[in-house]
Every structure is written in C-alpha cells, then in structure tokens.
Amino acid sequence: MTRQNIFDQYTAKTSPIHRLSPIVKVVVAVLFIFSNTLLPDGAWLSFALSGGIILTLTLLAKLEWHYTLKRSLIVLPFALAGISALFSLPGKTLAIWHIGSLELILTDAGLLRFESILVRSWLSVQIAILLVATTTFPDLIHALEHLRLPKMLVTVVAFLYRYMTVLSDEALRLLRARQSRSALLPNPPHSDDFSRPALGKLRTKVLTTKTRGGGSLLWRARTAGNMVGQLFLRSYERSDRIYHAMLSRGYSGHLRTLNPHSMESRDWLLIVLAFIFIALLQLFAHIS
Amino acid sequence: MLHSPTPLHIPDGFLSITVSLITWAITIAILSIAVKRTEKLDEKQVPLMGVMAAFIFAAQMINFPVAGGTSGHLLGGAFAAIMLGPWAGMLVMTAVIGVQGLLLQDGGLLVMGANILNMGLITSAIGFGLYRMGDGRNQKLKLTLAGIAAWLSVMAGALLTSLQLWLSGTARLDIVLPAMLGVHALIGIGETLITVSALAFIFKTRPDLLDQAQGHAHGGKKWIFIGIGISLFVLILSPLASSNPDGLERVASDLGFLGQGVDSPYSILPDYTLPLLGEGAFSTIIAGIIGALVVALIAFFIAKRKNVTADT
Amino acid sequence: MPITHSSPTTPPALPAESTVISIKDLDFSYPDGHIALQSISLSIKEGEKIALVGPNGAGKSTLMLHLNGILSGRGDLEVGLLPLNKQNLPVIRSLVGLVFQNPDDQLFSPTVFEDVAFGPLHMGLSEDEVYARVEAALAQVDMRGFENRLSHHLSTGQKKRIAIATVLSMHPQILVLDEPSAGLDPRARRGLIELLRELPLTMLVSTHDLRMAKELFPRMVIMDEGKIVADGETGVLLKDEGLLEKHGLEGV
C-alpha cells in the first residue's frame, strides 16, 4: 500500500489552516486564484505580495516552506503552450527569428506577458496545492456539496475518489501482466514510483517508462485497447456489485448523507476579510 | 508539448478572466442539463457513473509506445459517451477532470470550466453524435464511426484549447493552432486505436453491453446533428484558421476579445483585411476532410481485422 | 440535502426459537437461461449459526442475494415472519445484514463513517441515532476511532471488520456473510473468527474454510449445482468423506 501518497496530498498536521472550515478554504482559494488572474502584466510588487501571503499560509499550516514551491513545478510543461505569447505583442524589438515563413519578433511587451503568465500560473497552482495539503478530500467533497454542486456530480466525485486507487491497481496489474508476457513492451510503473512525493503529474511518470518497441504500432495499440476493454468490463461488473451492496443497505435511488460542516459567523467573517484584502491588493496593483 | 502527455489540461493563469468565466458559463449550462437528464435514469446509474469515472481515470494510465519516447493513451470522452450515453459521459468526464484539477493540480480551478468543456463536454458530444449514426447498423460501421469520433474529439478539444489561449492573449494563433492541432492529430490516432480496440474487445466478450449502448437508448437523433455539426466546425475551422488566422483575429477583436490586453499584433499588419473565405480556404478544408478520411480508413481497417480475430 | 426523519418501520418482535428465515421451493434462473437455484428449502431459527459450503458456482451467492430481495426467484421466502414483497423490502433489507465477499465492493464511500452510516441513514433514522449507531457498530467490531479513516487506506482485515460494521449499524436479525475469511492472512483470519464467535447474532456464512466452519458453526448446509445436497450437524457432515468428495470438498 505505498500508493496512497500520490493521490492523497493531504498532510496530517494540526494547524490553524487545517482547522479552517473546508468551505472557507475553497472559497478563499478560488478568490485568490481569481485575483492572480486579474493582476496586470509586470505587477511585480503585487506578485511578490501574493507570493508572500502564500508563504505565510504555508508556514502557518506547518508545512515546509519549499513544499508548495517544489510541487508547483507541475505547471512548467504547459509553459510551452504560452511560449508564443513572447512574439504576440508589439513593443521594443529584442530579437527576430525566422522559422520558415514565420517571422518571430521578440518584444519587451511579449517577454513581460510571458513572464507574467508564468508567475500568475505558478502562484495559482501553489494555492491549489496548499488547499489539498491542508484539507482531506472527503472534506473537500463536503465543501462542494455546501457550495450547491449538484448532488449527482458530488456523488460521482466521491465514488471516483473511493475507487481511483482500486482501479488504478487493476490497471497496473494489467500493465504488469503485459510486461511479463512480452519483454519488448515498456516497463510498467513500479509501485516505488508512487511512494515518492509526486513532482510531476502521475501520468507523466507512468508514461515516461522505457520504450523498447515491440510489435507493430497497430498491435501495440490493440493490446492497450484490449486492456482498456478488460478494465472496463471489470469496472462495469464491480459497479453491479456495489449497486447490490447499496441496495442491501436500503438505497432506493435517493442518496442521503450527513454533512458535518456548517458555515458559522466566524467563517463568513473570514471570507469577507479575504475578499476585502484581495480587493485592496487589486486596487494597489492597478493603480501602481 | 510532446513531453506533456496531456497538453489539454490548462493550468490557472493561462486563460484570461473573460475567457474563464465564459467557458464556465457554457460548461455550467450544459452540465445542468446533463444532471437533469441523468437524474431521470434508473438508480443504478449513480454507482455506475461513479465507478466509470474511476475507470476513465485508471484507463488513462494504460499506455502504449508510439515513437520517439512518446506514448499514446486514452483521453476517454468519446469512449465514455459511447458506453454510457452523452449526458452520463459528460458527468463522468467532468468528475475525472475535476478530481485531476482539484486533487492532483492537473489543470487549474478557475480555468476548470474550459478544461471540462474541451476535454469532457465536446468530446462526449461528438463521440456519441457520430456513433449514434451507426445505430442498428453492423459492427464494422459502428467501430469505424467510433474511431472517427475519437480522433475528432481530440482535435475538437485541441482546437478549443488553442482558441481559448489565443483569445486570452496567452498565445499567437498562427503558432499555437498548428502546433496544437499537429500534436493532437497524432495523439488523436492513439485515441482512435485504443477506443476502437477497446470497443471491439467489448463487442466480442460482452455483446449485451453494446446492445444496451445502442444509441437510441441514450439519446435521440438530434445527437447526430450535434455530432456532425461539431465535426464540421473542427474540419472547417482548423485548417482555415491555421492557414489564415487573420480573419479570426478580426472577428475576435470585433467581438472585443483582443482589446483587453494590447491590440492584436495583426492589426498593425497591412494584410489583415483578407476576407474570411479567401483564396485557398477551400483547399485547406479539403485537406482537413482528407485527414478525417485517412483516420476513417485506419479505423475501418482495425474493425475489419478485429472481426477476423473474433471469428477464429 | 436535507435528512429525512421518517420513522423507521419496526419489524414484528420475534419470540425466542422462532424462525428468522424460511425458504420454500425457491427456483431461480439467470436471464441467460442458466439455472442457479433449484427447489431450495431452508429454515433458519433465531440464534443459529450456519455454514453454507459448496464448490464455486454452486449457487451460494445467488441464494444470499435472494435473502434481501436483490434477486427474486419463484418460491416462498419469509424473513422475520414477513413475506418478501415490494412493500416489505425496506424492512427486510434492514433485518438481513448482507456482507459481500470483496470489502472494496461493500465499502463504497470515501470514509469509514460514511460507510457505516449509510445503512442507518437510508433507514430514515435521526442524525443523533445515526451517530450513536455508527459508534456502537465500530465498537462491536473493535474498530473504535476509525470514523474518519479513508477506506482505501485500510488493510484487508480492517476492511472486512468495517464491512461487518456497515450492516451491524442497521441492527439486523441475521448476519449473512459471503466468504468472510477469504484473502485474509492467518492472524487476520484468527481475529475475524474470534469476532464472529463473539457476535450474538444469527448467522449464515458461505465459506470454503471448513476449519472455520467446524470451529464456529454447529449447522452446515452443503450446496451443489443449485441444490441443497446436505443439511445437518457440521461435525457429522464433515466426517462423511464420500459426501464431501462428491461435492468437491476436502475434509478437515
């Protein structure tokens, strides 16, 4: 059972941040990300201020100061998609490249835009990391329920959370079986991979296994497709058994849950305070 | 982009507030219909959709090497919609994308509306819509349609992602669009191969499940129009915008999108007045359709081979 | 989502030594035509502990799914003096605590609390009563304090105990367990046997673990090919090597 770490980034600590209502945490996190997105290009002081708040919250949550920093590198690969922003704005020309018929003019405004996108994204992902590091996922599900997400969707999310490790285990068993039948296929991910704190995405890790060819592309794809089909059938049959287990405990189409969280006046106050603070930050960023 | 297997998971910060909110609005509108429709289904639907969401999550781990260190794997929107119906497929994909964003930071929170739209909603709609055309026909045709749908679903997602990045001022259309579409034309072939093989496997082992998944059980004929509509949108807009981004730029700035940052660089270029349907536009559309035909042939080929193995 | 506080229907109080479950001539075939149960008759008295044995595919699980109406074949089935019909279904489902073989199917909620609370909540009990029952059920299986644990972090042995707690919280009259000792290491198996020994409930337990059957269950029912082929004292049946061999069982 080494796997649990990758899916559960919650760190069990007792801190003021951990104790906050999950609803407050979700709302403030979204507000904060909203704020980051609204900060203008090159608002370095405001960027730094936001970063400072995140660091303070990280320390308050008794996490290592570099915890969110390290994990937030996850956004780096996507930076490629924004790289063309470098050449998208008029301004002082810094360099010109020609690739085929494409003329790429690097401008100071383009550079500033690109850097700002990266910083905004990096700040935002740190907030999301902080949120899941200090809130258990079942609590997050309760928060979503309180925030009026449709019951149906909340339930599907809860099932997904419960069964993603179970079915990922089954997928890994299928991958290992393929490996043991054919020396020419990529190594399946080792369970050790899961015990390390995840820097990148799970799938990145799973996919960057050694490629050693093996059969035609069509054959390899079909093997993978068969595995997907097999996993589907197992999952489908499992959903039947779960349905029976639900029925035998009185389920009749209408799900009932107890939600231990409720909004208290202190929680409302915190949300209002966060809102005022973010409004001030925005004011400052847009005036300066 | 080749190093990231899922370049469609947009992180926060890459889309503007306007684009984030508009995509959220569209996503919420579609999802609220999906919730209403699935609530009407039988009570078994709840555990089924829940486990299927976990299945898609796990199935995305099953990979196969393509070339040069890259691997193909399933995105799953078309597959989910074919097996569960369009509305349930959408909810399942929404849960997957939501948990990936919330729990694993694979995709942002404020931009989640866009991610759900690109990877969950449009993929399910096109997947089911095209598959629905094969209702009551033979297996080969169904698998071929599923294969085309899988490829187009990935292309549709890539197209939407590129457009959103561009409208947010995060990317230059003439660079991001060909790059995204190029990469995803390949990723889409992986999607096609896995989707068709997985369906063929299910046809063979549990034909009763695909009888249940006969299109009419899940949605009416209007889905065929939706599927064809999205396909045409992808097939016409992708090559057109790639070869001639100026027209789109003008439309976008007319709509006030590009005004929020600095003016689009194209407004300072002299030749931006090219009409939307300029010279060569039709040839590029035809190129797109040829592309789709090639995928159709591949899908047909696998379907045929599958039938042979199923018989023996 | 508001919690419905409807008053739960109370089952008729049973006099001692009365019949908890009575089945007469039950037949069942699956939609594909496969005959799973053939004229099954079985009566279970209060306080009895019965082992249900037989090879895979003998119909044990199918029979168990009938006991609370998940499957319904032809024939008579009464639980706690109530005939099985649509109207009685909710009460019967709370009377028969059915625990499935794979705890990953039985525990379908993110946390232990939510799973143990599922039954009481769907019986329409009040919030306070639900909390009290969860606490008591967890105490009964010796898993106090596990409320907020995540189901996927538990060991197999812990999952099996929680799975039993999920039906104990419904205060069933009979506990029906499918292969409870399967997949457990010797120590967890021993712990489970002690737990089952101490639970003061009527029990019907399907198992391949004849040593456990000998230890715990005075009565044994052997099924094969959808029929009950023997029903009697465990000690006696286990000595009949011809019978055991005929139905693919190994004596202990």
Side-chain angles (χ1 to χ4, degrees):
Chain A
M1 289 289 129
T2 46
R3 180 125 346 116
Q4 52 216 39
N5 301 338
I6 182 137
F7 295 136
D8 296 309
Q9 288 159 20
Y10 175 72
T11 39
K13 297 250 167 78
T14 44
S15 81
I17 308 289
H18 283 75
R19 279 194 296 273
L20 280 179
S21 149
I23 310 162
V24 173
K25 280 188 269 190
V26 170
V27 172
V28 172
V30 171
L31 271 179
F32 209 153
I33 293 172
F34 212 95
S35 158
N36 289 333
T37 311
L38 276 175
L39 290 178
D41 286 355
W44 299 113
L45 206 56
S46 307
F47 288 157
L49 213 59
S50 303
I53 296 166
I54 294 170
L55 185 63
T56 315
L57 293 175
T58 308
L59 294 177
L60 265 178
K62 295 186 187 159
L63 301 169
E64 307 262 345
W65 66 270
H66 49 76
Y67 177 82
T68 55
L69 226 66
K70 223 162 61 183
R71 288 201 21 85
S72 61
L73 299 177
I74 188 174
V75 294
L76 274 184
F78 203 86
L80 268 173
I83 214 157
S84 62
L86 286 171
F87 321 111
S88 68
L89 295 178
K92 208 174 97 203
T93 304
L94 301 178
I96 300 180
W97 288 283
H98 289 274
I99 301 172
S101 62
L102 212 60
E103 190 184 44
L104 301 176
I105 309 168
L106 176 66
T107 62
D108 57 349
L111 187 62
L112 191 68
R113 166 70 57 90
F114 182 63
E115 290 165 344
S116 302
I117 290 170
L118 286 195
V119 172
R120 281 193 287 251
S121 182
W122 183 58
L123 289 173
S124 302
V125 77
Q126 290 192 58
I127 296 163
I129 291 166
L130 201 55
L131 174 67
V132 291
T134 60
T135 320
T136 66
F137 202 75
D139 276 350
L140 279 179
I141 295 176
H142 285 148
L144 296 180
E145 210 173 1
H146 263 287
L147 292 169
R148 299 275 178 276
L149 238 74
K151 182 86 177 170
M152 180 69 103
L153 198 53
V154 175
T155 312
V156 175
V157 167
F159 269 106
L160 166 56
Y161 177 71
R162 171 66 183 93
Y163 285 103
M164 59 192 216
T165 35
V166 178
L167 297 190
S168 297
D169 272 344
E170 282 190 17
L172 287 183
R173 277 198 292 274
L174 288 171
L175 285 167
R176 282 201 198 102
R178 173 178 74 178
Q179 161 87 6
S180 68
R181 279 197 303 269
S182 158
L184 293 169
L185 279 164
N187 289 321
H190 226 270
S191 24
D192 295 353
D193 293 343
F194 291 100
S195 53
R196 271 183 255 133
L199 261 183
K201 296 174 221 179
L202 168 71
R203 272 192 311 286
T204 316
K205 196 167 277 179
V206 171
L207 285 170
T208 49
T209 46
K210 277 176 233 142
T211 306
R212 283 186 277 170
S216 68
L217 180 64
L218 205 62
W219 182 81
R220 277 174 280 168
R222 200 192 295 161
T223 312
N226 283 350
M227 287 197 287
V228 170
Q230 215 167 336
L231 188 65
F232 173 84
L233 291 183
R234 290 185 192 182
S235 311
Y236 191 90
E237 282 157 9
R238 184 184 288 277
S239 78
D240 267 342
R241 297 195 301 269
I242 293 168
Y243 175 55
H244 289 159
M246 292 170 75
L247 281 182
S248 62
R249 269 143 71 198
Y251 169 71
S252 58
H254 182 75
L255 270 176
R256 293 171 194 172
T257 48
L258 277 182
N259 198 326
H261 303 285
S262 59
M263 286 292 282
E264 282 156 34
S265 47
R266 193 184 68 126
D267 299 330
W268 286 111
L269 185 70
L270 276 172
I271 289 179
V272 171
L273 282 179
F275 186 81
I276 293 172
F277 183 82
I278 283 165
L280 287 176
L281 180 72
Q282 287 297 325
L283 202 65
F284 170 73
H286 282 90
I287 286 172
S288 59
Chain B
M1 248 173 286
L2 275 170
H3 298 290
S4 169
T6 51
L8 292 182
H9 286 82
I10 308 171
D12 276 318
F14 280 77
L15 294 187
S16 69
I17 284 285
T18 324
V19 172
S20 303
L21 293 183
I22 290 176
T23 45
W24 257 126
I26 299 171
T27 297
I28 289 172
I30 298 174
L31 279 182
S32 58
I33 305 174
V35 167
K36 277 212 188 84
R37 293 301 173 94
T38 43
E39 271 171 353
K40 278 194 218 146
L41 301 171
D42 62 6
E43 66 254 38
K44 200 203 164 255
Q45 201 68 19
V46 172
L48 178 63
M49 287 198 301
V51 178
M52 283 301 133
F55 155 74
I56 295 284
F57 184 92
Q60 290 185 349
M61 293 167 68
I62 295 175
N63 60 320
F64 69 98
V66 179
T70 58
S71 301
H73 74 93
L74 192 72
L75 189 71
F79 183 82
I82 289 170
M83 290 312 300
L84 304 170
W87 299 118
M90 284 179 187
L91 285 184
V92 162
M93 292 306 291
T94 300
V96 172
I97 296 159
V99 168
Q100 282 169 344
L102 203 54
L103 192 60
L104 305 174
Q105 291 84 48
D106 198 358
L109 303 183
L110 192 59
V111 299
M112 196 182 278
N115 280 331
I116 293 173
L117 181 65
N118 304 345
M119 287 182 289
L121 306 188
I122 199 164
T123 52
S124 295
I126 196 172
F128 183 74
L130 294 188
Y131 183 75
R132 179 73 175 77
M133 285 164 63
D135 207 29
R137 305 295 188 80
N138 64 28
Q139 266 191 33
K140 226 181 290 173
L141 182 72
K142 281 186 188 173
L143 289 180
T144 307
L145 286 170
I148 301 172
W151 188 74
L152 280 173
S153 73
V154 173
M155 293 303 273
L159 176 63
L160 284 189
T161 306
S162 318
L163 292 177
Q164 289 153 3
L165 287 171
W166 160 63
L167 288 174
S168 300
T170 302
R172 223 172 95 174
L173 188 64
D174 62 335
I175 299 175
V176 78
L177 196 64
M180 283 291 248
L181 290 178
V183 170
H184 283 88
L186 291 176
I187 291 180
I189 291 178
E191 183 85 3
T192 297
L193 293 172
I194 293 195
T195 303
V196 174
S197 316
L199 287 175
F201 181 86
I202 298 167
F203 264 137
K204 201 168 65 176
T205 43
R206 284 288 300 272
D208 56 309
L209 287 184
L210 275 152
D211 288 342
Q212 280 173 34
Q214 283 284 11
H216 58 259
H218 291 305
K221 284 212 166 112
K222 62 166 193 280
W223 283 100
I224 297 177
F225 296 107
I226 294 173
I228 292 176
I230 301 172
S231 310
L232 288 178
F233 169 75
V234 175
L235 289 175
I236 293 174
L237 196 65
S238 306
L240 204 101
S242 305
S243 66
N244 178 16
D246 312 351
L248 267 186
E249 296 274 356
R250 197 167 52 131
V251 174
S253 56
D254 284 352
L255 290 173
F257 264 105
L258 298 175
Q260 53 171 305
V262 190
D263 278 350
S264 150
Y266 296 99
S267 56
I268 50 168
L269 297 176
D271 60 344
Y272 87 105
T273 48
L274 272 174
L276 196 61
L277 278 172
E279 241 179 299
F282 285 108
S283 61
T284 46
I285 293 171
I286 288 165
I289 292 171
I290 290 174
L293 281 177
V294 170
V295 173
L297 273 175
I298 294 175
F300 179 76
F301 181 62
I302 314 173
K304 214 173 143 191
R305 288 275 294 267
K306 262 288 161 189
N307 277 356
V308 175
T309 37
D311 293 341
T312 50
Chain C
M1 189 59 52
I3 295 142
T4 328
H5 293 272
S6 68
S7 61
T9 332
T10 37
L14 289 179
E17 285 296 299
S18 65
T19 307
V20 182
I21 286 186
S22 127
I23 304 170
K24 275 193 204 95
D25 296 322
L26 184 66
D27 290 309
F28 179 76
S29 8
Y30 281 101
D32 62 1
H34 167 70
I35 298 170
L37 297 179
Q38 258 180 301
S39 44
I40 298 284
S41 294
L42 182 69
S43 134
I44 301 173
K45 289 209 166 55
E46 187 170 14
E48 274 194 301
K49 290 183 195 271
I50 306 172
L52 181 61
V53 301
N56 287 337
K60 303 187 299 281
S61 300
T62 310
L63 176 61
M64 290 181 149
L65 288 174
H66 274 82
L67 297 180
N68 61 9
I70 287 170
L71 295 177
S72 53
R74 264 172 308 140
D76 293 328
L77 205 158
E78 273 183 19
V79 178
L81 304 176
L82 295 170
L84 183 70
N85 57 32
K86 207 163 181 180
Q87 200 190 340
N88 291 335
L89 209 53
V91 189
I92 285 179
R93 283 188 175 158
S94 68
L95 292 180
V96 181
L98 185 54
V99 180
F100 291 78
Q101 178 179 351
N102 186 342
D104 276 331
D105 300 337
Q106 180 86 18
L107 306 178
F108 44 74
S109 310
T111 66
V112 167
F113 174 84
E114 286 163 298
D115 256 317
V116 183
F118 189 93
L121 270 176
H122 287 80
M123 288 164 71
L125 298 174
S126 74
E127 201 168 316
D128 291 342
E129 177 71 12
V130 171
Y131 278 105
R133 284 198 178 197
V134 171
E135 204 186 331
L138 285 177
Q140 259 181 301
V141 297
D142 216 9
M143 299 292 280
R144 259 189 218 89
F146 271 67
E147 281 90 344
N148 291 322
R149 296 283 284 272
L150 303 173
S151 301
H152 63 274
H153 285 186
L154 304 171
S155 71
T156 314
Q158 291 172 329
K159 282 183 194 168
K160 293 251 180 185
R161 283 170 177 270
I162 305 284
I164 293 173
T166 62
V167 300
L168 290 180
S169 61
M170 297 171 76
H171 291 181
Q173 283 185 354
I174 177 169
L175 207 52
V176 180
L177 310 178
D178 198 355
E179 301 277 0
S181 63
L184 291 181
D185 66 20
R187 190 185 304 167
R189 173 180 170 275
R190 179 48 49 194
L192 185 96
I193 289 178
E194 296 312 323
L195 171 67
L196 294 184
R197 193 198 304 280
E198 279 156 31
L199 283 178
L201 275 167
T202 315
M203 268 182 219
L204 177 69
V205 176
S206 102
T207 185
H208 290 306
D209 187 345
L210 294 186
R211 272 167 48 219
M212 175 177 80
K214 192 176 174 186
E215 209 180 318
L216 282 184
F217 307 108
R219 181 176 162 197
M220 185 188 251
V221 173
I222 304 180
M223 280 185 80
D224 199 0
E225 294 181 341
K227 292 180 207 139
I228 291 181
V229 293
D231 182 350
E233 253 179 74
T234 305
V236 176
L237 291 185
L238 282 179
K239 281 195 189 104
D240 188 343
E241 279 178 27
L243 175 77
L244 295 181
E245 201 174 317
K246 195 176 163 200
H247 300 292
L249 300 168
E250 248 176 62
V252 280

